[in-house]
Amino acid sequence: RQSDRLPMYKKYAQELIDKGHAYYCFCTPERLGKMRKDQEAGHMPPMYDGLCKKLDKKEAKRRMESGEKYVIRLDVPEEGVTTFVDLIRGKISFENKLIDDQVLLKSDGFPTYHLGVVVDDHIMEISHIIRGEEWIPSTPKHILLYTFFGWALPQFAHVSVLRNPDRSKLS
């Protein structure tokens, strides 16, 4: 259970911060909501704007020590391309500038799916990941995490969504 493994996820999130691949974000839900609303109004993809990426580490530490709530976000490179070979679909590439600085560790100390699945799959020595095609856009984030940790990549395969007779998604 993830709740039993919170110190481990925090340790790995801290490792990413120490290596410069993640950062503390202090943005409030109100700020993030307004940012998303403005992006939608401007017909832009909803993505974090990187405000806290530029925060000085001393300032971040001061804010943490004062009790301000924060999350830990993935620091996606602004340039370059993240590519992987899907066992079913072949080579898939994403421009890094289109990959969001995903939250990895929430303010309550729980990991998001992205950090949790990468850490758990690595520790369990998972060699092949087979998921629904709706997870293809998340795979570059996972590739970056594996790379930033220095871990070997598993094989990825994304299958078509399975549906019930009424065409609803099979879970």
Side-chain angles (χ1 to χ4, degrees):
R1 292 184 311 190
Q2 281 188 339
S3 59
D4 294 335
R5 300 158 60 91
L6 296 182
M8 179 187 64
Y9 299 120
K10 186 174 183 178
K11 175 186 112 137
Y12 283 113
Q14 185 62 51
E15 179 181 326
L16 290 170
I17 286 175
D18 293 345
K19 290 180 173 181
H21 299 301
Y23 57 94
Y24 299 105
C25 177
F26 299 90
C27 293
T28 64
E30 295 78 22
R31 181 188 182 280
L32 295 172
K34 182 181 181 328
M35 180 188 68
R36 282 189 198 97
K37 192 174 184 177
D38 292 347
Q39 289 170 336
E40 288 172 8
H43 304 288
M44 298 165 38
M47 292 178 60
Y48 180 65
D49 63 3
L51 177 70
C52 290
K53 185 186 279 201
K54 302 167 187 103
L55 265 183
D56 177 73
K57 289 188 180 191
K58 289 179 184 175
E59 173 66 11
K61 184 176 180 181
R62 184 196 64 74
R63 291 174 78 170
M64 290 168 55
E65 289 173 350
S66 73
E68 196 171 337
K69 283 190 169 191
Y70 65 90
V71 299
I72 295 177
R73 287 185 178 273
L74 179 64
D75 189 354
V76 177
E78 294 176 13
E79 296 186 4
V81 175
T82 299
T83 300
F84 65 98
V85 176
D86 186 282
L87 295 173
I88 296 169
R89 298 163 190 278
K91 185 177 176 181
I92 300 176
S93 297
F94 287 82
E95 291 182 61
N96 289 343
K97 67 182 178 183
L98 301 176
I99 302 171
D100 197 19
D101 281 5
Q102 186 69 48
V103 172
L104 299 174
L105 200 68
K106 299 181 279 186
S107 61
D108 63 5
F110 276 80
T112 60
Y113 170 78
H114 304 287
L115 179 64
V117 74
V118 169
V119 169
D120 290 345
D121 286 350
H122 171 73
I123 287 172
M124 291 186 277
E125 300 180 10
I126 301 299
S127 62
H128 291 71
I129 296 173
I130 303 169
R131 290 184 250 204
E133 64 190 354
E134 70 271 23
W135 289 102
I136 290 173
S138 294
T139 305
K141 297 170 190 179
H142 303 170
I143 300 283
L144 289 169
L145 285 168
Y146 276 99
T147 302
F148 293 160
F149 283 125
W151 298 339
L153 290 175
Q155 298 290 309
F156 292 93
H158 292 87
V159 297
S160 297
V161 176
L162 300 175
R163 302 212 176 261
N164 291 308
D166 69 356
R167 305 293 297 147
S168 63
K169 184 178 163 185
L170 182 69
S171 295

